[in-house]
Amino acid sequence: MNLSQFNNILRQVFVLPVVALLVVAGALYFQIRGSNETVNLIQESDARISQATLLSKLVVDEESGLRGYETTGDTRFLQPFYEAESHLQTEIQNLDNLAGADADQKHDIADLRDEHQTWQDAFALPVIATVRGGGQTNDVDLNLHGKVLMDNVRHDLDDIIQKAEASRTRRIARWHRQVHSLLLVLLALALGMGVLIGLFTRSRLHAVSAAYRGSLDILSRRAEELYQSEQQLRTTLESIGDGVITCDAEGRIQMMNPVASELTGWSQPEAGGHQLEDVFRIVDETTREPVETPVAKVMRLDKIVGMANHHTILLRKDGTELDISDSGAPIRDKSGNTIGIVLVFRDITMERKTQEALIANEKLAVAGRLAATIAHEIHNPLDSVTNLIYLMRNGATPEESVRFMDMAQQELTRVTQISRAMLGLYRESKAPVVVDLKETLEEILLLMERRLHDLGVTVSTDMPEPVEVSAFPAELRQVFTNLVTNAAEAAGPGGEIKISITPQTAGIDGSGQKLQAGATVTIADNGPGIPEDVQPHLFQPFFTTKGENGTGLGLWVSRGIINKHGGTICVTSDTGDTDHGTKVGVFLATNPTINAGGGD
């Protein structure tokens, strides 16, 4: 018998008791359901008896109140009468509802209602009226007539209670019979199912025995296959290029592949049984202090660890040193308990040297990019100084000359600040100041007036009111100067630039997004526009659409500054025949969280 047949037998052995239990459960369900229905009927009878008893009490209260009033003429004796009268009809209706569809009970209740109404109309109310009128109600015939009417009411109530008690007795007897039947059915099913399961299990034991012997044969073959697989794995470990060491749960070495022996200087027989720290000695490259081994870290954290620390030195047996990269992983049993650790490491000495060479080359490339950035960024302020000198030489008043000298000094200070900022990778003061965007843009346009005139570009502004933000003024001037210059060069002779400031208040927009208080500066030109395939590359360093006339650093640096100020910058452009041009939007928050460490 194969494993599939063995599993099939197990399923049969499992399914049969389940089916038997389902059959027993079904039989019990129907028996218990019938018993519950009988119990519900008993409870209904109890409810009718209780309701009829309540009605009897109300009738007694009503008659007692009437007799007291009849005897004394004191209206206080009528209080029980009226209270009972106010509830009696409602309670009769409740008793009628409990009768359900039983026509006999409903007929008795109807008789009760009629008899009570007759007593009330023919005796109670006339007696009350006579007493109130000062008449005498001690007539024997009158009172005997009232007694007969009340006896009829009591007779109806007694009849209802007796019938309810008789029904309850019958239903209790029926419930006892059902319980007795339930016990008999349960005993019969238990005996029947027990015999059936016993016979079936006996017939399957022989098949299970055969299946077990077959499984032993299969396990024997698989043990042989596992041995062969282990040999293949051992061969694989010996042939891979990384060093592999396996340890037991206490950190004692069990196996080393040849690469591990070569890297540590220990052979497999020498290292076997030693603690890993005796063979795999690693220290920090800088401090020369011992470093926690991956095996110790795996035992401490009970998880896979990768110690990609390129400052780790392996001290070989002969005293030589190697730069290594290592990692460790736990070996677990079926219960998830750690029974060993495997360590993998490799020599990265040559890799370290290669990386150091690449880092040196990258430093040279960064120095070149910084030099190009400085050359590009100081051009604008120097050009502004040239414009100021030109204005001073061409009829400026003394007051204007003083003002232009101050502005030139600011621009020269800006050149120094730009060079320091670029050489220091944007290491600037951590104390931003309040900047008026409108004033800043007006100063930039004044400084660029000559250049814009030479380019034949007209500028229109929409800056209705001052908007203040917290920022580094020199850096914002650098950003807006770059953007205005780009817009002017894109617009070309006869072109137009529109500069606007749109304040924004804090709140929630239509899509539920939170809005910051601040302002958006928009610089738009009516140039030919930027093709869609070029737009994704605009903020990449050294990417330019100006050919030999551009460095490709302006937008890249500008985005870094705006990101540093906690703002955003975006570019939209259209290259249509009639509707074309580029629009750059810069949003700055009123109270931003400024990253003094820099942007991109």
Side-chain angles (χ1 to χ4, degrees):
M1 180 179 292
N2 55 30
L3 184 59
S4 175
Q5 292 173 326
F6 178 71
N7 291 332
N8 187 39
I9 292 174
L10 291 179
R11 283 193 296 269
Q12 292 174 359
V13 173
F14 173 76
V15 168
L16 182 61
V18 172
V19 173
L21 289 176
L22 290 176
V23 172
V24 172
L28 290 176
Y29 170 76
F30 286 108
Q31 291 291 331
I32 294 173
R33 181 178 177 183
S35 298
N36 286 337
E37 291 176 353
T38 303
V39 171
N40 292 333
L41 292 176
I42 294 172
Q43 291 174 346
E44 290 178 3
S45 298
D46 289 338
R48 286 197 297 272
I49 293 171
S50 298
Q51 189 66 23
T53 303
L54 176 61
L55 285 173
S56 296
K57 180 181 178 302
L58 291 175
V59 168
V60 170
D61 291 343
E62 191 176 30
E63 185 182 19
S64 299
L66 178 63
R67 293 299 183 185
Y69 178 68
E70 182 183 7
T71 302
T72 64
D74 189 345
T75 56
R76 288 178 293 179
F77 284 95
L78 287 179
Q79 183 177 357
F81 174 85
Y82 286 126
E83 287 182 358
E85 182 184 19
S86 64
H87 294 92
L88 203 138
Q89 293 300 325
T90 302
E91 299 301 335
I92 291 176
Q93 184 59 44
N94 291 338
L95 181 61
D96 187 68
N97 294 335
L98 290 174
D102 192 331
D104 185 42
Q105 291 186 27
K106 285 187 172 294
H107 180 268
D108 292 340
I109 294 170
D111 288 343
L112 172 64
R113 184 183 287 113
D114 293 341
E115 294 292 348
H116 176 268
Q117 191 66 40
T118 300
W119 175 82
Q120 191 176 44
D121 294 340
F123 178 73
L125 296 180
V127 169
I128 294 173
T130 301
V131 174
R132 284 180 178 173
Q136 295 297 323
T137 59
N138 54 4
D139 184 69
V140 176
D141 292 335
L142 175 63
N143 285 282
L144 286 176
H145 177 66
K147 179 180 181 302
V148 170
L149 295 177
M150 180 52 67
D151 288 342
N152 291 335
V153 173
R154 287 196 177 93
H155 178 268
D156 290 340
L157 283 171
D158 292 340
D159 189 44
I160 291 172
I161 293 173
Q162 289 174 3
K163 289 182 178 180
E165 290 178 345
S167 175
R168 181 177 181 275
T169 301
R170 290 194 302 271
R171 289 169 176 175
I172 291 175
R174 177 184 172 186
W175 179 77
H176 284 297
R177 290 194 299 272
Q178 288 175 334
V179 171
H180 181 70
S181 299
L182 175 62
L183 294 175
L184 292 178
V185 170
L186 181 61
L187 179 60
L189 288 174
L191 290 175
M193 293 302 174
V195 172
L196 178 62
I197 293 173
L199 293 175
F200 178 79
T201 303
R202 180 185 177 190
S203 66
R204 297 287 88 187
L205 283 177
H206 298 290
V208 169
S209 178
Y212 177 72
R213 289 192 296 271
S215 297
L216 289 178
D217 295 337
I218 293 173
L219 290 175
S220 178
R221 291 193 298 270
R222 288 187 175 178
E224 179 63 25
E225 294 173 356
L226 182 61
Y227 173 77
Q228 295 177 0
S229 176
E230 181 182 355
Q231 291 301 110
Q232 293 175 357
L233 178 60
R234 187 179 297 275
T235 302
T236 302
L237 290 175
E238 292 177 353
S239 62
I240 63 176
D242 291 343
V244 179
I245 300 176
T246 60
C247 305
D248 59 18
E250 285 73 32
R252 290 188 294 269
I253 296 176
Q254 293 179 324
M255 187 273 291
M256 297 174 59
N257 69 346
V259 176
S261 297
E262 181 180 354
L263 294 178
T264 60
W266 290 71
S267 65
Q268 168 69 37
E270 291 175 334
H274 280 75
Q275 290 292 323
L276 179 68
E277 289 77 5
D278 298 335
V279 177
F280 187 75
R281 296 183 297 153
I282 53 178
V283 297
D284 185 86
E285 180 182 39
T286 303
T287 64
R288 308 298 295 183
E289 294 293 330
V291 177
E292 184 181 27
T293 66
V295 169
K297 195 169 185 179
V298 168
M299 293 299 297
R300 178 167 55 85
L301 300 178
D302 195 28
K303 65 178 183 178
I304 298 175
V305 296
M307 301 181 67
N309 185 355
H310 291 182
H311 299 283
T312 302
I313 300 298
L314 172 64
L315 302 180
R316 305 178 74 237
K317 185 178 182 181
D318 59 5
T320 58
E321 299 179 353
L322 295 175
D323 293 318
I324 64 166
S325 174
D326 49 25
S327 63
I331 303 173
R332 305 184 187 277
D333 58 15
K334 292 182 179 180
S335 301
N337 300 317
T338 300
I339 59 174
I341 300 95
V342 59
L343 167 68
V344 179
F345 62 101
R346 60 190 176 92
D347 183 6
I348 60 168
T349 304
M350 292 303 299
E351 182 179 336
R352 283 284 306 278
K353 293 180 179 179
T354 303
Q355 287 179 349
E356 291 173 357
L358 290 175
I359 292 173
N361 290 337
E362 180 63 20
K363 288 182 179 179
L364 293 175
V366 169
R369 287 197 293 270
L370 289 176
T373 301
I374 294 172
H376 175 82
E377 295 302 324
I378 67 176
H379 176 269
N380 291 330
L382 291 178
D383 192 35
S384 299
V385 173
T386 302
N387 290 337
L388 291 170
I389 294 174
Y390 171 80
L391 293 174
M392 294 171 62
R393 287 178 176 175
N394 287 274
T397 64
E399 293 79 6
E400 291 177 337
S401 296
V402 171
R403 181 185 174 195
F404 292 159
M405 284 291 292
D406 291 338
M407 295 174 68
Q409 181 64 38
Q410 290 179 3
E411 294 303 319
L412 290 176
T413 302
R414 179 180 164 202
V415 171
T416 303
Q417 193 175 21
I418 289 173
S419 62
R420 288 177 180 176
M422 297 306 296
L423 290 174
L425 290 178
Y426 292 94
R427 287 181 304 182
E428 294 193 2
S429 172
K430 296 183 179 180
V433 298
V434 176
V435 177
D436 186 342
L437 293 178
K438 180 179 180 181
E439 181 180 348
T440 301
L441 289 169
E442 288 176 344
E443 289 180 357
I444 291 172
L445 293 176
L446 178 62
L447 295 177
M448 297 186 63
E449 182 178 359
R450 177 182 175 188
R451 184 172 184 181
L452 294 172
H453 180 270
D454 292 342
L455 290 173
V457 176
T458 59
V459 179
S460 61
T461 61
D462 181 12
M463 297 182 288
E465 60 183 18
V467 177
E468 295 182 344
V469 297
S470 180
F472 297 95
E475 294 187 353
L476 287 190
R477 231 178 0 253
Q478 174 184 347
V479 170
F480 292 131
T481 300
N482 284 335
L483 298 180
V484 173
T485 301
N486 290 344
E489 293 175 351
E496 182 180 357
I497 299 175
K498 296 181 179 180
I499 301 176
S500 63
I501 300 177
T502 305
Q504 176 178 293
T505 57
I508 306 295
D509 63 8
S511 61
Q513 297 294 325
K514 185 178 180 180
L515 298 177
Q516 284 184 291
T520 299
V521 178
T522 304
I523 301 174
D525 65 71
N526 62 349
I530 304 172
E532 290 186 4
D533 59 335
V534 174
Q535 294 181 22
H537 307 286
L538 291 177
F539 292 100
Q540 294 178 359
F542 299 103
F543 177 83
T544 179
T545 59
K546 301 177 183 179
E548 296 296 330
N549 296 322
T551 63
L553 296 172
L555 287 178
W556 174 59
V557 172
S558 296
R559 185 180 66 173
I561 293 173
I562 297 302
N563 288 345
K564 171 183 175 180
H565 284 73
T568 58
I569 180 171
C570 61
V571 178
T572 57
S573 188
D574 197 336
T575 57
D577 295 333
T578 57
D579 187 12
H580 53 79
T582 302
K583 182 185 296 183
V584 181
V586 177
F587 173 77
L588 293 168
T590 303
N591 295 302
T593 301
I594 296 181
N595 176 14
D600 285 348

